[in-house]
Amino acid sequence: MFAHTVSLQLKPNSVAEFTQIIEKDIIPLLRKQQGFQDEIAFLVPDGTAAVSISLWAHKEHAEAYHRGTYPTVLKALANVVEGTPQVHTYEVSNSTFHKIVPRVAA
């Protein structure tokens, strides 16, 4: 399983619009993507930043999403985001929610 993280700086007073865009626009797009498993969004208490984590069955699925659908997601968020979001992809090593097969050390 792989995680695609996006760190965003939010414009002032945009938390409500941000969460609405995630729920009504982005999650439906994600659900259509091959290998999509889950989406979790976090907000800092003062609402100035957010982190979004999407979980994917395979690295190739996360990469295909990033190449194909992610630009549409950025456009959907353009009115609430300042600057350029920072994106990273990770291999998931542990989860209490998802059943992860541990990698054997080489």
Side-chain angles (χ1 to χ4, degrees):
M1 179 174 284
F2 284 80
H4 186 240
T5 67
V6 181
S7 300
L8 315 138
Q9 293 299 313
L10 298 176
K11 292 181 179 178
N13 304 310
S14 64
V15 169
E17 186 177 357
F18 171 77
T19 57
Q20 184 176 20
I21 292 167
I22 295 287
E23 187 66 33
K24 293 187 176 189
D25 299 325
I26 296 172
I27 289 176
L29 281 175
L30 288 168
R31 287 187 171 139
K32 294 176 184 176
Q33 304 304 304
Q34 182 179 7
F36 172 72
Q37 301 289 310
D38 197 9
E39 169 72 12
I40 306 166
F42 303 90
L43 295 163
V44 297
D46 66 2
T48 60
V51 174
S52 175
I53 301 173
S54 57
L55 298 174
W56 302 87
H58 300 286
K59 184 177 182 181
E60 296 78 23
H61 297 142
E63 291 171 345
Y65 159 76
H66 187 75
R67 284 189 311 272
T69 304
Y70 181 67
T72 302
V73 168
L74 285 179
K75 287 178 186 174
L77 291 170
N79 290 335
V80 297
V81 172
E82 289 184 338
T84 303
Q86 300 300 304
V87 179
H88 300 283
T89 301
Y90 300 92
E91 183 173 358
V92 178
S93 64
N94 302 85
S95 172
T96 59
F97 189 73
H98 299 276
K99 294 184 189 228
I100 306 295
V101 176
R103 282 182 71 171
V104 177

mmCIF file of all heavy atoms in Angstrom, residues 16-50:
data_model
loop_
_atom_site.group_PDB
_atom_site.id
_atom_site.type_symbol
_atom_site.label_atom_id
_atom_site.label_comp_id
_atom_site.label_asym_id
_atom_site.label_seq_id
_atom_site.Cartn_x
_atom_site.Cartn_y
_atom_site.Cartn_z
ATOM 1 N N ALA A 16 -14.075 26.071 5.676
ATOM 2 C CA ALA A 16 -15.382 25.514 5.301
ATOM 3 C C ALA A 16 -15.427 25.184 3.815
ATOM 4 O O ALA A 16 -15.888 24.102 3.420
ATOM 5 C CB ALA A 16 -16.505 26.487 5.667
ATOM 6 N N GLU A 17 -14.925 26.089 2.985
ATOM 7 C CA GLU A 17 -14.918 25.837 1.545
ATOM 8 C C GLU A 17 -13.975 24.681 1.194
ATOM 9 O O GLU A 17 -14.288 23.839 0.358
ATOM 10 C CB GLU A 17 -14.512 27.103 0.782
ATOM 11 C CG GLU A 17 -14.631 26.952 -0.718
ATOM 12 C CD GLU A 17 -14.305 28.230 -1.480
ATOM 13 O OE1 GLU A 17 -14.033 29.282 -0.857
ATOM 14 O OE2 GLU A 17 -14.319 28.170 -2.723
ATOM 15 N N PHE A 18 -12.813 24.633 1.857
ATOM 16 C CA PHE A 18 -11.861 23.544 1.636
ATOM 17 C C PHE A 18 -12.506 22.187 1.933
ATOM 18 O O PHE A 18 -12.455 21.274 1.111
ATOM 19 C CB PHE A 18 -10.618 23.745 2.514
ATOM 20 C CG PHE A 18 -9.684 22.575 2.515
ATOM 21 C CD1 PHE A 18 -8.829 22.344 1.445
ATOM 22 C CD2 PHE A 18 -9.643 21.698 3.586
ATOM 23 C CE1 PHE A 18 -7.955 21.255 1.440
ATOM 24 C CE2 PHE A 18 -8.780 20.617 3.596
ATOM 25 C CZ PHE A 18 -7.934 20.396 2.521
ATOM 26 N N THR A 19 -13.130 22.057 3.095
ATOM 27 C CA THR A 19 -13.727 20.762 3.461
ATOM 28 C C THR A 19 -14.882 20.399 2.530
ATOM 29 O O THR A 19 -15.074 19.226 2.204
ATOM 30 C CB THR A 19 -14.195 20.746 4.929
ATOM 31 O OG1 THR A 19 -15.115 21.808 5.149
ATOM 32 C CG2 THR A 19 -13.021 20.892 5.880
ATOM 33 N N GLN A 20 -15.621 21.395 2.067
ATOM 34 C CA GLN A 20 -16.716 21.139 1.124
ATOM 35 C C GLN A 20 -16.171 20.657 -0.226
ATOM 36 O O GLN A 20 -16.712 19.727 -0.826
ATOM 37 C CB GLN A 20 -17.562 22.393 0.942
ATOM 38 C CG GLN A 20 -18.762 22.171 0.056
ATOM 39 C CD GLN A 20 -19.647 23.401 -0.029
ATOM 40 O OE1 GLN A 20 -19.220 24.521 0.250
ATOM 41 N NE2 GLN A 20 -20.879 23.193 -0.432
ATOM 42 N N ILE A 21 -15.107 21.262 -0.702
ATOM 43 C CA ILE A 21 -14.492 20.839 -1.969
ATOM 44 C C ILE A 21 -13.973 19.412 -1.859
ATOM 45 O O ILE A 21 -14.168 18.601 -2.764
ATOM 46 C CB ILE A 21 -13.364 21.811 -2.379
ATOM 47 C CG1 ILE A 21 -13.945 23.170 -2.753
ATOM 48 C CG2 ILE A 21 -12.548 21.235 -3.539
ATOM 49 C CD1 ILE A 21 -12.907 24.279 -2.874
ATOM 50 N N ILE A 22 -13.337 19.096 -0.749
ATOM 51 C CA ILE A 22 -12.834 17.731 -0.541
ATOM 52 C C ILE A 22 -14.001 16.739 -0.613
ATOM 53 O O ILE A 22 -13.944 15.739 -1.330
ATOM 54 C CB ILE A 22 -12.101 17.585 0.816
ATOM 55 C CG1 ILE A 22 -10.827 18.440 0.841
ATOM 56 C CG2 ILE A 22 -11.790 16.122 1.118
ATOM 57 C CD1 ILE A 22 -9.693 17.934 0.004
ATOM 58 N N GLU A 23 -15.069 17.039 0.113
ATOM 59 C CA GLU A 23 -16.210 16.117 0.206
ATOM 60 C C GLU A 23 -16.993 15.995 -1.100
ATOM 61 O O GLU A 23 -17.323 14.894 -1.531
ATOM 62 C CB GLU A 23 -17.146 16.565 1.331
ATOM 63 C CG GLU A 23 -18.261 15.595 1.624
ATOM 64 C CD GLU A 23 -17.777 14.275 2.193
ATOM 65 O OE1 GLU A 23 -16.771 14.253 2.917
ATOM 66 O OE2 GLU A 23 -18.413 13.242 1.891
ATOM 67 N N LYS A 24 -17.285 17.121 -1.735
ATOM 68 C CA LYS A 24 -18.189 17.102 -2.888
ATOM 69 C C LYS A 24 -17.497 16.932 -4.236
ATOM 70 O O LYS A 24 -18.118 16.467 -5.186
ATOM 71 C CB LYS A 24 -19.038 18.364 -2.900
ATOM 72 C CG LYS A 24 -20.002 18.418 -1.734
ATOM 73 C CD LYS A 24 -20.942 19.568 -1.841
ATOM 74 C CE LYS A 24 -21.922 19.487 -0.684
ATOM 75 N NZ LYS A 24 -23.009 20.416 -0.797
ATOM 76 N N ASP A 25 -16.223 17.331 -4.332
ATOM 77 C CA ASP A 25 -15.540 17.288 -5.619
ATOM 78 C C ASP A 25 -14.403 16.273 -5.673
ATOM 79 O O ASP A 25 -14.310 15.487 -6.613
ATOM 80 C CB ASP A 25 -14.975 18.678 -5.975
ATOM 81 C CG ASP A 25 -16.057 19.737 -6.103
ATOM 82 O OD1 ASP A 25 -17.163 19.407 -6.569
ATOM 83 O OD2 ASP A 25 -15.795 20.892 -5.719
ATOM 84 N N ILE A 26 -13.536 16.302 -4.675
ATOM 85 C CA ILE A 26 -12.320 15.493 -4.738
ATOM 86 C C ILE A 26 -12.560 14.029 -4.378
ATOM 87 O O ILE A 26 -12.102 13.135 -5.102
ATOM 88 C CB ILE A 26 -11.217 16.125 -3.876
ATOM 89 C CG1 ILE A 26 -10.868 17.492 -4.480
ATOM 90 C CG2 ILE A 26 -9.997 15.217 -3.790
ATOM 91 C CD1 ILE A 26 -9.940 18.333 -3.672
ATOM 92 N N ILE A 27 -13.269 13.753 -3.307
ATOM 93 C CA ILE A 27 -13.507 12.351 -2.930
ATOM 94 C C ILE A 27 -14.240 11.591 -4.041
ATOM 95 O O ILE A 27 -13.841 10.465 -4.359
ATOM 96 C CB ILE A 27 -14.199 12.243 -1.561
ATOM 97 C CG1 ILE A 27 -13.191 12.652 -0.473
ATOM 98 C CG2 ILE A 27 -14.724 10.822 -1.313
ATOM 99 C CD1 ILE A 27 -13.741 12.695 0.930
ATOM 100 N N PRO A 28 -15.256 12.161 -4.687
ATOM 101 C CA PRO A 28 -15.867 11.429 -5.810
ATOM 102 C C PRO A 28 -14.873 11.126 -6.942
ATOM 103 O O PRO A 28 -14.928 10.049 -7.535
ATOM 104 C CB PRO A 28 -16.985 12.357 -6.280
ATOM 105 C CG PRO A 28 -17.358 13.125 -5.054
ATOM 106 C CD PRO A 28 -16.049 13.351 -4.340
ATOM 107 N N LEU A 29 -13.951 12.064 -7.214
ATOM 108 C CA LEU A 29 -12.917 11.803 -8.227
ATOM 109 C C LEU A 29 -12.003 10.659 -7.790
ATOM 110 O O LEU A 29 -11.656 9.788 -8.587
ATOM 111 C CB LEU A 29 -12.064 13.053 -8.450
ATOM 112 C CG LEU A 29 -12.624 14.161 -9.311
ATOM 113 C CD1 LEU A 29 -11.683 15.361 -9.310
ATOM 114 C CD2 LEU A 29 -12.849 13.682 -10.725
ATOM 115 N N LEU A 30 -11.603 10.690 -6.527
ATOM 116 C CA LEU A 30 -10.714 9.652 -6.012
ATOM 117 C C LEU A 30 -11.362 8.271 -6.085
ATOM 118 O O LEU A 30 -10.704 7.293 -6.447
ATOM 119 C CB LEU A 30 -10.311 9.959 -4.565
ATOM 120 C CG LEU A 30 -9.340 11.114 -4.388
ATOM 121 C CD1 LEU A 30 -9.256 11.515 -2.922
ATOM 122 C CD2 LEU A 30 -7.971 10.755 -4.930
ATOM 123 N N ARG A 31 -12.625 8.200 -5.755
ATOM 124 C CA ARG A 31 -13.318 6.906 -5.756
ATOM 125 C C ARG A 31 -13.367 6.264 -7.138
ATOM 126 O O ARG A 31 -13.537 5.058 -7.250
ATOM 127 C CB ARG A 31 -14.727 7.062 -5.192
ATOM 128 C CG ARG A 31 -14.715 7.267 -3.701
ATOM 129 C CD ARG A 31 -16.102 7.253 -3.116
ATOM 130 N NE ARG A 31 -16.019 7.236 -1.669
ATOM 131 C CZ ARG A 31 -16.795 7.936 -0.876
ATOM 132 N NH1 ARG A 31 -17.743 8.703 -1.371
ATOM 133 N NH2 ARG A 31 -16.647 7.856 0.436
ATOM 134 N N LYS A 32 -13.197 7.062 -8.178
ATOM 135 C CA LYS A 32 -13.191 6.535 -9.542
ATOM 136 C C LYS A 32 -11.812 6.040 -9.979
ATOM 137 O O LYS A 32 -11.698 5.438 -11.038
ATOM 138 C CB LYS A 32 -13.662 7.624 -10.519
ATOM 139 C CG LYS A 32 -15.105 8.022 -10.327
ATOM 140 C CD LYS A 32 -15.465 9.159 -11.264
ATOM 141 C CE LYS A 32 -16.889 9.636 -11.006
ATOM 142 N NZ LYS A 32 -17.212 10.798 -11.840
ATOM 143 N N GLN A 33 -10.794 6.297 -9.173
ATOM 144 C CA GLN A 33 -9.429 5.958 -9.556
ATOM 145 C C GLN A 33 -9.097 4.513 -9.190
ATOM 146 O O GLN A 33 -9.399 4.057 -8.085
ATOM 147 C CB GLN A 33 -8.427 6.886 -8.859
ATOM 148 C CG GLN A 33 -8.664 8.350 -9.103
ATOM 149 C CD GLN A 33 -8.688 8.710 -10.573
ATOM 150 O OE1 GLN A 33 -7.739 8.445 -11.299
ATOM 151 N NE2 GLN A 33 -9.794 9.301 -11.004
ATOM 152 N N GLN A 34 -8.453 3.822 -10.104
ATOM 153 C CA GLN A 34 -8.035 2.444 -9.853
ATOM 154 C C GLN A 34 -7.063 2.412 -8.676
ATOM 155 O O GLN A 34 -6.132 3.211 -8.599
ATOM 156 C CB GLN A 34 -7.368 1.851 -11.084
ATOM 157 C CG GLN A 34 -6.960 0.405 -10.892
ATOM 158 C CD GLN A 34 -6.325 -0.180 -12.143
ATOM 159 O OE1 GLN A 34 -6.073 0.518 -13.117
ATOM 160 N NE2 GLN A 34 -6.068 -1.455 -12.107
ATOM 161 N N GLY A 35 -7.289 1.496 -7.748
ATOM 162 C CA GLY A 35 -6.395 1.299 -6.618
ATOM 163 C C GLY A 35 -6.616 2.226 -5.444
ATOM 164 O O GLY A 35 -5.953 2.095 -4.420
ATOM 165 N N PHE A 36 -7.557 3.176 -5.559
ATOM 166 C CA PHE A 36 -7.819 4.091 -4.448
ATOM 167 C C PHE A 36 -8.381 3.326 -3.262
ATOM 168 O O PHE A 36 -9.278 2.505 -3.402
ATOM 169 C CB PHE A 36 -8.796 5.194 -4.873
ATOM 170 C CG PHE A 36 -9.240 6.053 -3.727
ATOM 171 C CD1 PHE A 36 -8.368 6.947 -3.143
ATOM 172 C CD2 PHE A 36 -10.525 5.945 -3.222
ATOM 173 C CE1 PHE A 36 -8.773 7.738 -2.076
ATOM 174 C CE2 PHE A 36 -10.944 6.721 -2.158
ATOM 175 C CZ PHE A 36 -10.065 7.623 -1.582
ATOM 176 N N GLN A 37 -7.854 3.616 -2.058
ATOM 177 C CA GLN A 37 -8.281 2.943 -0.842
ATOM 178 C C GLN A 37 -8.963 3.872 0.170
ATOM 179 O O GLN A 37 -9.956 3.502 0.762
ATOM 180 C CB GLN A 37 -7.066 2.289 -0.153
ATOM 181 C CG GLN A 37 -6.352 1.273 -1.011
ATOM 182 C CD GLN A 37 -7.150 0.012 -1.198
ATOM 183 O OE1 GLN A 37 -7.638 -0.561 -0.243
ATOM 184 N NE2 GLN A 37 -7.297 -0.418 -2.437
ATOM 185 N N ASP A 38 -8.399 5.060 0.370
ATOM 186 C CA ASP A 38 -8.912 5.927 1.435
ATOM 187 C C ASP A 38 -8.359 7.341 1.260
ATOM 188 O O ASP A 38 -7.320 7.523 0.638
ATOM 189 C CB ASP A 38 -8.475 5.375 2.799
ATOM 190 C CG ASP A 38 -9.259 5.935 3.969
ATOM 191 O OD1 ASP A 38 -10.275 6.626 3.750
ATOM 192 O OD2 ASP A 38 -8.864 5.670 5.117
ATOM 193 N N GLU A 39 -9.066 8.305 1.819
ATOM 194 C CA GLU A 39 -8.627 9.702 1.848
ATOM 195 C C GLU A 39 -8.836 10.221 3.262
ATOM 196 O O GLU A 39 -9.907 10.043 3.849
ATOM 197 C CB GLU A 39 -9.446 10.542 0.864
ATOM 198 C CG GLU A 39 -9.259 12.032 0.988
ATOM 199 C CD GLU A 39 -7.920 12.540 0.491
ATOM 200 O OE1 GLU A 39 -7.182 11.773 -0.171
ATOM 201 O OE2 GLU A 39 -7.603 13.701 0.766
ATOM 202 N N ILE A 40 -7.808 10.865 3.810
ATOM 203 C CA ILE A 40 -7.884 11.463 5.142
ATOM 204 C C ILE A 40 -7.336 12.878 5.024
ATOM 205 O O ILE A 40 -6.242 13.080 4.499
ATOM 206 C CB ILE A 40 -7.044 10.676 6.172
ATOM 207 C CG1 ILE A 40 -7.443 9.212 6.166
ATOM 208 C CG2 ILE A 40 -7.198 11.280 7.565
ATOM 209 C CD1 ILE A 40 -6.461 8.304 6.893
ATOM 210 N N ALA A 41 -8.098 13.862 5.485
ATOM 211 C CA ALA A 41 -7.641 15.252 5.449
ATOM 212 C C ALA A 41 -7.534 15.775 6.878
ATOM 213 O O ALA A 41 -8.394 15.498 7.715
ATOM 214 C CB ALA A 41 -8.603 16.109 4.640
ATOM 215 N N PHE A 42 -6.470 16.515 7.139
ATOM 216 C CA PHE A 42 -6.201 17.096 8.458
ATOM 217 C C PHE A 42 -6.084 18.602 8.318
ATOM 218 O O PHE A 42 -5.548 19.099 7.325
ATOM 219 C CB PHE A 42 -4.864 16.580 9.016
ATOM 220 C CG PHE A 42 -4.778 15.097 9.134
ATOM 221 C CD1 PHE A 42 -4.305 14.333 8.078
ATOM 222 C CD2 PHE A 42 -5.157 14.454 10.296
ATOM 223 C CE1 PHE A 42 -4.213 12.960 8.174
ATOM 224 C CE2 PHE A 42 -5.068 13.078 10.405
ATOM 225 C CZ PHE A 42 -4.592 12.326 9.352
ATOM 226 N N LEU A 43 -6.566 19.325 9.320
ATOM 227 C CA LEU A 43 -6.435 20.783 9.368
ATOM 228 C C LEU A 43 -5.697 21.168 10.638
ATOM 229 O O LEU A 43 -5.948 20.589 11.708
ATOM 230 C CB LEU A 43 -7.811 21.443 9.399
ATOM 231 C CG LEU A 43 -8.680 21.266 8.168
ATOM 232 C CD1 LEU A 43 -10.125 21.604 8.476
ATOM 233 C CD2 LEU A 43 -8.143 22.137 7.042
ATOM 234 N N VAL A 44 -4.796 22.158 10.556
ATOM 235 C CA VAL A 44 -4.201 22.686 11.778
ATOM 236 C C VAL A 44 -5.293 23.455 12.513
ATOM 237 O O VAL A 44 -6.240 23.952 11.883
ATOM 238 C CB VAL A 44 -2.960 23.566 11.499
ATOM 239 C CG1 VAL A 44 -1.854 22.759 10.857
ATOM 240 C CG2 VAL A 44 -3.306 24.777 10.695
ATOM 241 N N PRO A 45 -5.220 23.532 13.839
ATOM 242 C CA PRO A 45 -6.303 24.161 14.607
ATOM 243 C C PRO A 45 -6.672 25.578 14.175
ATOM 244 O O PRO A 45 -7.829 25.956 14.250
ATOM 245 C CB PRO A 45 -5.777 24.133 16.045
ATOM 246 C CG PRO A 45 -4.899 22.920 16.074
ATOM 247 C CD PRO A 45 -4.222 22.906 14.718
ATOM 248 N N ASP A 46 -5.699 26.363 13.708
ATOM 249 C CA ASP A 46 -6.042 27.740 13.311
ATOM 250 C C ASP A 46 -6.521 27.848 11.866
ATOM 251 O O ASP A 46 -6.829 28.931 11.385
ATOM 252 C CB ASP A 46 -4.873 28.690 13.559
ATOM 253 C CG ASP A 46 -3.659 28.407 12.684
ATOM 254 O OD1 ASP A 46 -3.709 27.488 11.831
ATOM 255 O OD2 ASP A 46 -2.639 29.105 12.856
ATOM 256 N N GLY A 47 -6.574 26.719 11.145
ATOM 257 C CA GLY A 47 -7.119 26.698 9.796
ATOM 258 C C GLY A 47 -6.235 27.286 8.717
ATOM 259 O O GLY A 47 -6.705 27.582 7.627
ATOM 260 N N THR A 48 -4.943 27.428 8.990
ATOM 261 C CA THR A 48 -4.052 28.034 7.993
ATOM 262 C C THR A 48 -3.381 27.006 7.090
ATOM 263 O O THR A 48 -2.770 27.381 6.092
ATOM 264 C CB THR A 48 -2.950 28.867 8.676
ATOM 265 O OG1 THR A 48 -2.192 28.007 9.537
ATOM 266 C CG2 THR A 48 -3.556 30.020 9.463
ATOM 267 N N ALA A 49 -3.470 25.739 7.450
ATOM 268 C CA ALA A 49 -2.801 24.701 6.656
ATOM 269 C C ALA A 49 -3.578 23.401 6.759
ATOM 270 O O ALA A 49 -4.372 23.193 7.683
ATOM 271 C CB ALA A 49 -1.368 24.498 7.133
ATOM 272 N N ALA A 50 -3.323 22.528 5.774
ATOM 273 C CA ALA A 50 -3.966 21.220 5.755
ATOM 274 C C ALA A 50 -2.993 20.202 5.187
ATOM 275 O O ALA A 50 -2.074 20.546 4.438
ATOM 276 C CB ALA A 50 -5.234 21.259 4.899
#
